[in-house]
Amino acid sequence: RKEVEQDPGPFNVPEGATVAFNCTYSNSASQSFFWYRQDCRKEPKLLMSVYSSGNEDGRFTAQLNRASQYISLLIRDSKLSDSATYLCVVNPHSNYQLIWGAGTKLIIKP
Amino acid sequence: DTAVSQTPKYLVTQMGNDKSIKCEQNLGHDTMYWYKQDSKKFLKIMFSYNNKELIINETVPNRFSPKSPDKAHLNLHINSLELGDSAVYFCASSLLAGGPVYEQYFGPGTRLTVT
């Protein structure tokens, strides 16, 4: 089992719809969780950290389910500009390293 | 102001050559990283330095040699380039300062093509 797994997609979603995707992680002792966004031919950029109690930033909601070892990202009222690859990132051992998922590609269509 | 910068942005070179990529951050971070992102878009950590000390050294051919002259700079030298080295190389930085792993900030990437 990979340390961090994501559905690669692509998810083709009409503008204005709500879309959600999950990411599973294998190490139950994982400490920190993040969602990054990567546009085509650009660098990854932090979208949001994921807190134990769940957190929201505008149209974006992130949740952590420690029992089932997954994190989720929900995007409401999707915009064309949300089209990107969303990378799930986990810090498994509270050391220096982050483990990156392969990303979920999201395409928002007009 | 550019937070994490890399040079060059594009690098096209022939097999067997030696090349270097430079990275600088002005965020005051204490830790810097090199990642490789291949054609399948998977991001793989190669090296990391914390306060000029090597802390992550993944299984990478010894043709790749990182060097950190100070906390704000991390360079990557590659000897005897091979076709399989073609990829995008990202530099990143973060602030560890003895705490949990904080978010990383990435440079724009160096697109290396070996012919």
Side-chain angles (χ1 to χ4, degrees):
Chain A
R1 182 183 176 185
K2 291 181 183 174
E3 289 190 82
V4 176
E5 286 199 81
Q6 297 182 250
D7 183 338
F11 285 40
N12 290 284
V13 174
E15 191 176 7
T18 296
V19 59
F21 23 84
N22 292 342
C23 161
T24 58
Y25 60 95
S26 60
N27 189 323
S28 59
S30 295
Q31 301 281 325
S32 311
F33 308 87
F34 307 91
W35 283 105
Y36 277 72
R37 169 194 169 130
Q38 186 173 23
D39 293 296
C40 188
R41 300 179 75 85
K42 296 286 189 181
E43 72 272 22
K45 291 185 179 177
L46 179 68
L47 178 65
M48 55 198 307
S49 302
V50 185
Y51 302 125
S52 296
S53 54
N55 48 303
E56 189 174 304
D57 183 2
R59 298 181 293 107
F60 298 83
T61 300
Q63 299 224 305
L64 167 63
N65 185 317
R66 284 197 182 272
S68 300
Q69 294 181 210
Y70 73 86
I71 64 172
S72 63
L73 179 67
L74 178 83
I75 306 174
R76 289 180 299 278
D77 187 24
S78 53
K79 312 289 184 192
L80 295 177
S81 57
D82 294 334
S83 297
T85 296
Y86 290 84
L87 300 162
C88 169
V89 189
V90 175
N91 170 227
H93 302 297
S94 191
N95 63 10
Y96 308 109
Q97 193 165 346
L98 295 178
I99 306 298
W100 295 73
T104 296
K105 187 169 184 177
L106 175 65
I107 301 171
I108 306 297
K109 302 200 165 183
Chain B
D1 282 348
T2 303
V4 183
S5 60
Q6 293 179 231
T7 54
K9 194 167 183 182
Y10 299 94
L11 184 54
V12 181
T13 188
Q14 292 184 327
M15 284 174 56
N17 285 347
D18 303 338
K19 291 292 178 185
S20 292
I21 308 172
K22 296 187 175 183
C23 179
E24 177 181 0
Q25 56 95 2
N26 63 6
L27 297 167
H29 288 167
D30 56 8
T31 305
M32 296 183 73
Y33 310 80
W34 278 114
Y35 285 90
K36 178 180 180 180
Q37 189 170 44
D38 59 24
S39 57
K40 295 183 179 179
K41 307 300 182 187
F42 197 70
L43 206 60
K44 292 183 182 177
I45 183 75
M46 299 174 70
F47 304 103
S48 179
Y49 275 76
N50 173 254
N51 290 314
K52 301 197 298 177
E53 179 187 346
L54 183 65
I55 57 171
I56 296 175
N57 187 4
E58 291 295 297
T59 305
V60 174
N62 57 15
R63 299 180 294 102
F64 290 79
S65 52
K67 186 169 284 188
S68 181
D70 56 56
K71 284 197 306 182
H73 296 84
L74 179 61
N75 303 323
L76 183 65
H77 188 76
I78 315 170
N79 289 325
S80 302
L81 278 154
E82 300 178 358
L83 292 177
D85 298 333
S86 296
V88 181
Y89 292 84
F90 286 106
C91 175
S93 72
S94 69
L95 182 65
L96 291 189
V101 177
Y102 292 99
E103 56 262 35
Q104 296 179 2
Y105 293 81
F106 283 77
T110 295
R111 190 170 295 273
L112 172 65
T113 303
V114 182
T115 61

